[in-house]
Amino acid sequence: MWPDMRFLDLFGIDLPIVQAPMAGSSGAELAIAVSEAGGLGSLPCAMLGPEQVRAELGIVRQRTSRPVNLNFFCHAEPTPDPEREAGWRKRLTPYYEEFGIDPVTIPTGAGRLPVDEAACAVVEDMRPEVVSFHFGLPPASLLDRVKASGAKVISSATTVEEARWLAARGCDAVIAQGYEAGGHRGMFLTQEMGRQVGTFPLVPQVVDAVDVPVIAAGGIADGRGIAAAFALGAAAVQIGTAYLRSPESLAGLAHRRALTSARDDSTVLTNVFTGRPARGFVNRFVREVGPISRAAPEFPLATAAVAPIRGAADADSGEFLPLWSGQAAALAPDLPAGELTRKLAAEATERLDRLSKTGEAKA
Ligand SMILES: Cc1cc2nc3c(=O)[nH]c(=O)nc-3n(C[C@H](O)[C@H](O)[C@H](O)COP(=O)(O)O)c2cc1C
């Protein structure tokens, strides 16, 4: 039994562990393994077209009948700024020269897609049990359609204000994403990175501010972290980094190597890959161009000019790849995802039991 059963009851799952959707680093296999183990598997769709979403979800549906979460980005598409784009390409010129890339051949473009009509139609057709968003919520016309499909809706908040905003617009649960989290910061009402909040202070303040269940995310990678999240009032956790080492993740060689040798201070927030702050391992590109570059165009427009460098550089070295990771990577064991999910839940319940028995003995 868990101290707060609201998330489990509302979402129809056995274990209060949401596998974080990780665009580019996870797909159907990871989602299936976690959902089958009793958690909530997630399918990231930010880098997939509608037909790919349909195909991936089709695979999940064939292999598990348990609930699944489809995840979309919902950033406002920025207006391209030719001057800024030119400045960014100028900043990257030494790399174009080093890798023999002709900058004239590099197309501009987005690289990450916000949820749209076509994606919404797939949701209506295939009816995932849960739809999660990153960077706020889509326009009401799309959100209403997603809700009308029967899906429970969740999204990430990085401040109390964002949590209130999401709850007021009908989210069934709110993810409190602390500063420790791997990948993109879900921030959408603020740009002030220096004021972003850590998981420990964020979770209880969000719990106090909203009535819906709170899912703690960021730097949780073992049973102790899950027990701590529940002690702070969370009703579930969302875990990304700890699943990256599992055989079911799509993390490449360099990413896995960095995860294996990770320390507490191996990661940094950087905007040099996409234009938005995201937490990942420090490598040559991050060190030399960032970690934060004012030249980078607005998210996701910075992506296009970096793509050919990523393609031309040695992928196994990982020096020019985004290697997203949270601060707790070193705590994560190398286990298949289903086994990891069960182990995390068992460790957390054991710790919570111990804590409550100590409390009873003292009382
Ligand atoms: C490799 C990676 C990719 C991510 N991609 C996404 C994504 O596509 N959508 C999303 O909502 N969150 C994404 N996130 C953020 C997670 O949802 C979550 O906030 C984070 O993993 C929690 O922190 P942790 O990594 O310390 O467990 C990503 C995180 C990582 C590590």
Side-chain angles (χ1 to χ4, degrees), residues 238-262:
Q238 176 158 302
I239 294 181
T241 301
Y243 281 109
L244 286 172
R245 291 181 69 193
S246 70
E248 293 91 344
S249 99
L250 300 177
L253 232 159
H255 207 168
R256 287 177 189 271
R257 206 170 41 236
L259 289 158
T260 308
S261 57

Side-chain angles (χ1 to χ4, degrees), residues 20-23 25 44 71 73 134 177 180-183 218-219 238-241 324 326:
M22 295 183 282
S25 297
N71 170 258
F73 284 3
H134 214 36
Q177 190 202 32
E180 300 88 331
Q238 176 158 302
I239 294 181
T241 301
W324 302 145

